[in-house]
Amino acid sequence: MEKLAVVYRGKAKTLYTTADPHRLILEFRDDASAFNGRRVEALAGKGAINNQINHFIMQRLQAAGIATQLERLLSADQALVKKLTMLPVECVVRNRAAGALCRRLAIAEGQVLNPPLFELFLKSDALDDPLINEFYGYTFGWITPEQYRQIKQLTFQINALLVPLFEQADLLLVDYKLEFGLLGEQIVLGDEISPDNCRLWDKKSGNKLDKDRFRQELGHVVESYLEIAQRLGIEVHQNSEVTT
Ligand code: ATP
Ligand code: TYD
């Protein structure tokens, strides 16, 4: 499947049209951004690692009955996905306190959150992705009550699958962001699940292995992403054609 035109160039990925109007190519670039794009750097090898981690995780979710965008891996850093009409909200799940939650409510980093928190953010770079709740969605037409019911249910199903998946790799899934889109009336998981949008800590040492290494300038970002992939049992290919 060939890339045709660029549909959208985001901060970390580029979407291309294909000959099939219902399929897009999702290309994972090496660009890393933090603080809503105010810091951008290229991290060689990141795109391929994230593409292959995302593929592995989406395959697992798909096998467990979650509808995902996934079609197939096309190359080290590209995947063929279903073209979705994305909902303009981001869903954040928090199993432990970190990041903005600690800053907002002065909660100690690492505190176990039981039950896990579920938060909604409006996808808007211009507004710095503000925290909202479902009623904003209904009032402003971003999401319907039925769509909210479904994304909340899907998110907790996904959390119940992801926590043990990472646990087996001796990783704590602290928090992460999901994006859903519509395929007709059906809600489908889109975008990506990778160390760029998850917080993952080593279970024993508590070491951060995710994008906080970039945000907090801790170094060894790509090496840590690769360690996550290896712990999940993924053999990462760089610059090579990947066939599945
Ligand atoms: P952010 O990092 O805040 O998500 P961004 O738009 O810069 O912002 P990228 O990951 O670079 O993020 O861009 C990917 C874009 O593609 C996102 O806007 C996402 O909603 C969209 N997208 C992801 N999967 C699909 C899909 N299957 N169909 C259509 N659009 C998709
Ligand atoms: P959060 O703590 O709200 O923000 P910050 O990263 O600024 O401290 O983020 C919670 C999790 O969700 C974290 O793993 C990063 C991810 N996330 C994104 O990937 N993109 C986003 O736009 C948001 C709001 C969160």
Side-chain angles (χ1 to χ4, degrees):
M1 188 75 72
E2 299 280 303
K3 292 191 278 195
L4 296 179
V6 172
V7 186
Y8 178 77
R9 186 181 159 89
K11 292 189 287 295
K13 302 192 289 299
T14 307
L15 284 166
Y16 298 87
T17 52
T18 65
D20 180 342
H22 304 297
R23 308 269 184 288
L24 297 173
I25 291 177
L26 192 58
E27 179 183 65
F28 289 70
R29 305 197 314 273
D30 285 345
D31 296 328
S33 75
F35 316 116
N36 196 19
R38 286 184 285 277
R39 203 169 122 229
V40 180
E41 248 175 66
L43 299 174
K46 177 182 81 86
I49 300 170
N50 278 358
N51 181 40
Q52 290 165 64
I53 292 178
N54 180 58
H55 178 256
F56 173 87
I57 293 175
M58 292 249 175
Q59 254 185 340
R60 290 296 183 96
L61 294 177
Q62 190 87 32
I66 305 287
T68 81
Q69 64 182 354
L70 193 70
E71 290 286 355
R72 63 193 158 89
L73 214 51
L74 288 179
S75 69
D77 61 355
Q78 293 172 34
L80 188 68
V81 298
K82 295 185 177 72
K83 179 181 177 178
L84 306 177
T85 303
M86 300 306 286
L87 296 172
V89 294
E90 303 189 333
C91 303
V92 167
V93 183
R94 298 181 188 273
N95 293 305
R96 289 194 180 232
L101 173 68
C102 299
R103 296 194 295 274
R104 196 186 309 131
L105 296 177
I107 308 283
E109 187 180 62
Q111 184 178 312
V112 175
L113 304 170
N114 188 15
L117 288 172
F118 177 69
E119 298 175 343
L120 278 187
F121 293 82
L122 177 66
K123 260 180 84 70
S124 166
D125 282 345
L127 299 174
D128 250 343
D129 291 350
L131 180 66
I132 58 170
N133 69 25
E134 64 273 30
F135 292 95
Y136 288 69
Y138 310 154
T139 299
F140 297 112
W142 299 321
I143 191 167
T144 66
E146 176 54 21
Q147 286 167 349
Y148 177 72
R149 190 191 66 76
Q150 286 187 38
I151 63 170
K152 192 170 74 169
Q153 189 181 45
L154 282 166
T155 297
F156 281 106
Q157 279 173 13
I158 292 168
N159 198 42
L161 294 163
L162 292 186
V163 169
L165 183 70
F166 285 109
E167 170 99 29
Q168 282 162 21
D170 275 334
L171 293 165
L172 280 179
L173 178 58
V174 172
D175 61 24
Y176 55 100
K177 184 253 304 182
L178 299 174
E179 290 187 27
F180 294 93
L182 293 172
L183 193 64
E185 296 289 295
Q186 192 189 11
I187 305 258
V188 175
L189 178 66
D191 205 48
E192 88 182 270
I193 300 178
S194 79
D196 262 7
N197 53 27
C198 297
R199 284 193 170 96
L200 291 162
W201 297 350
D202 178 73
K203 226 174 92 181
K204 293 191 193 81
S205 65
N207 281 349
K208 296 172 179 174
L209 295 171
D210 54 75
K211 194 167 150 184
D212 272 348
R213 299 205 71 82
F214 175 71
R215 293 188 192 94
Q216 300 173 10
E217 305 190 63
L218 300 173
H220 303 289
V221 184
V222 174
E223 292 86 340
S224 298
Y225 284 28
L226 196 56
E227 178 165 346
I228 291 170
Q230 284 165 347
R231 287 200 198 183
L232 289 169
I234 305 166
E235 194 193 321
V236 175
H237 300 262
Q238 290 282 355
N239 309 316
S240 60
E241 286 301 308
V242 180
T243 45
T244 51

